[in-house]
Amino acid sequence: MAQDGVDSMGINTRLAHSGNNPHDYFGFVNPPVVHASTVLYPNAAAMAARSQKYTYGTRGTPTTDALAAAIDALEGSAGTIMVPSGLAAVMVPLLAFLSCGDHVLIVDSVYHPTRNFADTMLKRLGIDVEYYDPHAGAGIASLIKPNTRVVFTESPGSNTFEVQDIPAIAKAAHAAGAIVMMDNTWATPLYLRPLDHGVDISIHAATKYPAGHSDVLLGTVSANAACWKQLCETFNTMGCCAGPDDVYQVLRGLRTMGVRLDHHQRSALDIAGWLEGQKGVARVLHPALPSHPDHGLWKRDFRGSSGIFSIVLAGGGQKQQHALLDALKIFGLGYSWGGYESLAVPVFLGDRTIAKGPYDGPLIRLQIGLEDVDDLKTDLARGLAAAASA
Ligand SMILES: Cc1ncc(COP(=O)(O)O)c(C=O)c1O
């Protein structure tokens, strides 16, 4: 933590003041954006021993150190790496801890490109990939094999928002000598600190809420003390560092993430609750709603909810789904989330083997942005009317 005592303060104070210490750099409030490959050494002995803080651009700069320190303070982690996208943040730790002949358990409601990486690259490298039910909880023990090295979780799950019993999963995994990784992008470390719940490695698409403006791609991976060395060694071996401008933009985004998330949370809950009462909506898949089957687990472990959830239409198919999407005027049709603007996407569950329903009708995922709630409700009402008459 950059400034004495900030660690024990409120979350918005910490977001405003963590990472860099302005007085390390002439008092400028923000850290320098260091564009670097070469770092000079004062003499041959220092070069041979690499006995200085910075040695080469891929291995860290004052800019990456500032963001890593801020994220470590939020996550309670021993170290954080920054990579060029959220998907790279999924890939690097899996490559760091899995070898040919190992078995990995991945939650079935995982972000689709994570599944694609596992089904293509990991399988090609000789790793046994198996998907588990997001509601497995302690029962995951029955799936663990002698060669299980990693359990990969994402909670709530992508698109269908099942909440997992992370402490129970971590207990079973650790008892068998496996480690637990969690894609924690939905909650951010403000609403869930995975390492406090037994997770070893916390993964974020910082592209989403930390960046917050749909203009940056970045991933972060934070490890506990036991896993940090191996994660960092793999990161250095691969040379997949993030660019300094993107790292800086995410640190900039962190300063306002608390107030933005609070707004996303309130608007999303208001709209989700309203949608539950709308004709044409069979279910709203938002874990902070009391009607959600995993609401109890969410309440036990999470400190808040973010701005993305799904709705299930009351019957119909792709025609109704497309009619709703095409009628929207404020919600954009586009992938990703966590930015200031509202988005809607059709949900595809064809890749799932376990967490695939049945659902009453097609699913649509909504990212609730920072616009005024009444305007967003008007837009959604227009979409539901279009679906009803399709
Ligand atoms: C849960 C989750 N993890 C990871 C990612 C990947 O992030 P990026 O778009 O930065 O590759 C996404 C992107 O949508 C996501 O939803």
Side-chain angles (χ1 to χ4, degrees):
M1 186 62 63
Q3 314 212 344
D4 289 348
V6 172
D7 226 348
S8 58
M9 294 180 181
I11 192 64
N12 287 309
T13 310
R14 293 167 60 201
L15 288 168
H17 295 285
S18 59
N20 62 306
N21 183 344
H23 298 291
D24 287 347
Y25 194 71
F26 306 109
F28 288 108
V29 169
N30 292 300
V33 183
V34 176
H35 291 86
S37 54
T38 303
V39 181
L40 298 179
Y41 297 79
N43 52 49
M47 199 168 197
R50 292 183 165 245
S51 60
Q52 60 187 34
K53 185 166 181 195
Y54 298 109
T55 56
Y56 192 65
T58 53
R59 290 173 171 250
T61 66
T63 316
T64 60
D65 277 0
L67 181 58
I71 293 181
D72 283 336
L74 293 172
E75 292 275 350
S77 46
T80 292
I81 59 166
M82 276 137 276
V83 292
S85 69
L87 183 55
V90 166
M91 186 186 77
V92 172
L94 286 170
L95 291 176
F97 287 90
L98 289 169
S99 304
C100 181
D102 288 345
H103 174 240
V104 57
L105 282 165
I106 301 179
V107 67
D108 194 46
S109 48
V110 78
Y111 171 59
H112 174 75
T114 299
R115 182 184 210 106
N116 182 52
F117 171 71
D119 287 346
T120 55
M121 299 273 278
L122 291 184
K123 283 189 181 169
R124 184 160 59 74
L125 295 173
I127 292 148
D128 179 13
V129 176
E130 187 178 352
Y131 295 94
Y132 69 88
D133 185 338
H135 295 123
I140 201 162
S142 66
L143 301 176
I144 292 177
K145 302 178 182 178
N147 60 339
T148 306
R149 287 278 294 129
V150 172
V151 178
F152 190 99
T153 70
E154 182 186 324
S155 181
S158 269
N159 296 325
T160 43
F161 300 93
E162 300 89 349
V163 181
Q164 294 185 62
D165 191 342
I166 297 294
I169 289 171
K171 195 170 167 209
H174 291 158
I179 64 161
V180 180
M181 300 178 186
M182 179 169 176
D183 183 332
N184 188 38
T185 303
W186 184 86
T188 83
L190 270 54
Y191 294 159
L192 185 86
R193 290 188 6 141
L195 274 53
D196 292 349
H197 297 265
V199 169
D200 301 283
I201 294 191
S202 174
I203 293 162
H204 288 274
T207 306
K208 318 299 179 199
Y209 294 112
H213 294 75
S214 304
D215 54 359
V216 176
L217 286 160
L218 195 92
T220 66
V221 190
S222 304
N224 62 15
C227 293
W228 170 239
K229 187 166 174 277
Q230 195 163 335
L231 176 70
C232 189
E233 274 173 11
T234 302
F235 172 67
N236 286 332
T237 301
M238 293 177 73
C240 52
C241 56
D245 294 312
D246 297 335
V247 171
Y248 178 79
Q249 289 293 347
V250 169
L251 183 63
R252 188 181 201 266
L254 278 190
R255 308 303 186 198
T256 58
M257 188 170 80
V259 287
R260 284 187 286 107
L261 260 182
D262 192 46
H263 192 95
H264 285 292
Q265 166 165 239
R266 276 186 283 110
S267 298
L269 273 173
D270 182 340
I271 291 171
W274 170 81
L275 280 166
E276 283 199 301
Q278 295 303 300
K279 211 164 150 259
V281 176
R283 278 174 69 191
V284 179
L285 308 179
H286 187 316
L289 289 178
S291 60
H292 192 281
D294 304 333
H295 182 65
L297 266 185
W298 172 81
K299 233 168 133 176
R300 187 192 71 185
D301 292 346
F302 288 74
R303 293 184 196 153
S305 58
S306 60
I308 182 169
F309 63 91
S310 290
I311 57 172
V312 182
L313 298 189
Q318 197 186 60
K319 194 169 169 213
Q320 286 68 26
Q321 186 192 46
H322 284 196
L324 191 158
L325 292 170
D326 288 342
L328 298 172
K329 291 196 162 96
I330 299 174
F331 283 80
L333 309 189
Y335 292 101
S336 203
W337 43 283
Y340 57 85
E341 82 291 16
S342 292
L343 297 169
V345 295
V347 170
F348 170 76
L349 297 178
D351 60 340
R352 302 273 177 96
T353 54
I354 305 160
K356 56 185 177 186
Y359 290 103
D360 292 342
L363 276 68
I364 292 173
R365 192 186 77 186
L366 299 173
Q367 125 85 9
I368 305 301
L370 301 177
E371 302 96 331
D372 293 306
V373 160
D374 287 346
D375 296 331
L376 296 177
K377 284 182 182 168
T378 303
D379 208 28
L380 291 168
R382 184 174 22 245
L384 287 168
S389 55

